[in-house]
Amino acid sequence: MPNSTHLPLVYHPDYSFPFPEKHRFPMAKFGLLAEYLRDIGLLTRENGVRPGRSKPLWLNQTHCPDYLARFINREQTPQEHRQMNLPWSEGLVKRTLIAPSGTVLAAQLALHHGLACHLAGGTHHAQYDHASGFCILNDLAIAAKVLLHQSGVGRVLIFDCDVHQGDGTAALLKNEPRAFTCSIHCESNFPFVKQQSDLDVPLEDGLDDAPYLTIVMETLHQVLDRVKPDIVLYDAGVDVFRGDPLGRLNISEAGIRERDRQVLSELLRRRIPVATVIGGGYDDDRVALARRHAIVVEEAARLRGIRF
Ligand SMILES: [Zn+2]
């Protein structure tokens, strides 16, 4: 039943699995995030929801089936393996096949409850038939298409505040007029060849909190007025943080918290369902990183009147 103090959190224990510690991709962060949210009382038996493996139909309507089969069966070409830039393992295949259904599930829960958070997701660089930027499958594009094709949703907005452009999402949804892609990103950062989102908002290196928040909120108002979405997928990437090794912006943790609070509260004010994904964050201090990813969940909980 819809319950205004209920905040579904979508998580699977296989999101983190044994992985090289020193790798640039912080695979441990998903488990650390769930552990932290359990410690502060936000992730409980009542609100934790576990996704299953993504349905093949969901994956195949967004990605090249042959590319997917080669990844699953460890038959990638050397070039594909290089583009993936992650060591292949059974664990990697497993988490990669679950995560998109986590974003789909968070979106479906958001349609019912108004707000839901996926404790992973935001793999927005993945393209139709190749991996990029540590992203193998594009959960945002996959979820948008499932919402439009299988869940009776009329219009989806992807509001991407990860520091890197959502190039894969833009390319995958280019011919889908019912999905609006908006990316607010550091222009000089990866990917160095940009795709065209429905709205791109390039930011200069070193931008700090006040102008950033103004840009994010002006952009949000503008796209909501224009698109009138039935649901928003919000990528709350924390690689905008000033200390992030892959960032280049100068946003404080307080600034990230303010961004998430303002974005979510505007969507709730307009009664637009929103599903959040955690997006990028690469801090070598994995515990600090997990806490930073928890910010969007904490702000969602506050807006729901949940004490923790
Ligand atoms: Zn990123």
Side-chain angles (χ1 to χ4, degrees):
M1 290 294 287
N3 174 349
S4 66
T5 61
H6 185 64
L7 179 65
L9 301 184
V10 177
Y11 173 69
H12 198 290
D14 292 337
Y15 280 169
S16 291
F17 60 92
F19 191 80
E21 280 273 318
K22 297 252 177 265
H23 198 283
R24 170 46 70 208
F25 190 81
M27 197 60 83
K29 73 181 185 178
F30 309 99
L32 292 169
L33 170 60
E35 191 181 312
Y36 175 68
L37 292 170
R38 257 183 228 115
D39 286 348
I40 62 172
L42 276 184
L43 175 58
T44 67
R45 231 172 265 231
E46 281 68 47
N47 72 336
V49 190
R50 195 182 282 203
R53 223 173 123 130
S54 307
K55 292 184 184 175
L57 166 73
W58 296 356
L59 304 180
N60 291 336
Q61 69 190 1
T62 294
H63 287 281
C64 172
D66 292 340
Y67 157 66
L68 187 59
R70 284 195 299 277
F71 165 63
I72 293 171
N73 300 320
R74 204 179 189 174
E75 291 167 353
Q76 292 164 301
T77 64
Q79 191 197 5
E80 283 177 328
H81 199 256
R82 266 196 312 279
Q83 286 167 329
M84 183 167 79
N85 201 12
L86 297 164
W88 188 96
S89 68
E90 298 280 356
L92 180 68
V93 172
K94 200 167 180 190
R95 68 105 47 225
T96 300
L97 295 179
I98 296 170
S101 88
T103 299
V104 171
L105 182 56
Q108 289 169 339
L109 288 162
L111 288 173
H112 191 70
H113 295 282
L115 181 56
C117 303
H118 186 197
L119 307 185
T123 46
H124 61 171
H125 299 304
Q127 301 279 353
Y128 175 67
D129 60 0
H130 65 91
S132 174
F134 306 130
C135 303
I136 301 166
L137 298 177
N138 194 311
D139 62 307
L140 293 167
I142 289 166
K145 290 200 183 193
V146 172
L147 289 165
L148 295 168
H149 297 302
Q150 281 92 34
S151 302
V153 167
R155 290 184 77 75
V156 179
L157 167 65
I158 295 171
F159 192 66
D160 189 339
C161 288
D162 187 285
V163 81
H164 306 102
Q165 194 210 24
D167 58 337
T169 322
L172 288 165
L173 296 173
K174 192 171 59 178
N175 297 319
E176 177 46 85
R178 297 171 297 165
F180 191 96
T181 54
C182 173
S183 176
I184 305 177
H185 54 264
C186 177
E187 179 67 1
S188 76
N189 211 327
F190 179 91
F192 303 110
V193 177
K194 304 284 190 285
Q195 298 288 327
Q196 196 177 352
S197 310
D198 292 303
L199 179 63
D200 284 301
V201 182
L203 307 173
E204 285 181 13
D205 287 26
L207 190 75
D208 48 31
D209 290 3
Y212 176 69
L213 289 168
T214 303
I215 291 168
V216 168
M217 290 314 292
E218 279 179 359
T219 305
L220 182 66
H221 286 290
Q222 184 194 327
V223 291
L224 290 178
D225 290 345
R226 181 170 155 193
V227 179
K228 303 200 183 327
D230 300 309
I231 184 166
V232 174
L233 305 179
Y234 173 42
D235 185 334
V238 298
D239 44 14
V240 293
F241 179 60
R242 58 167 64 119
D244 194 282
L246 301 185
R248 298 194 189 175
L249 296 188
N250 189 32
I251 309 304
S252 68
E253 283 198 345
I256 292 173
R257 188 174 294 283
E258 196 54 25
R259 175 194 72 180
D260 293 347
R261 187 186 69 75
Q262 290 188 25
V263 167
L264 294 178
S265 82
E266 180 60 19
L267 293 170
L268 293 187
R269 192 183 71 74
R270 295 190 188 220
R271 299 182 183 279
I272 301 170
V274 52
T276 71
V277 298
I278 69 170
Y282 300 92
D283 203 317
D284 292 327
D285 182 340
R286 309 297 203 221
V287 172
L289 174 61
R291 288 183 180 207
R292 207 166 293 135
H293 278 304
I295 290 173
V296 70
V297 181
E298 291 168 348
E299 292 312 303
R302 280 204 181 92
L303 289 166
R304 279 305 196 215
I306 298 166
R307 289 162 182 255
F308 56 97

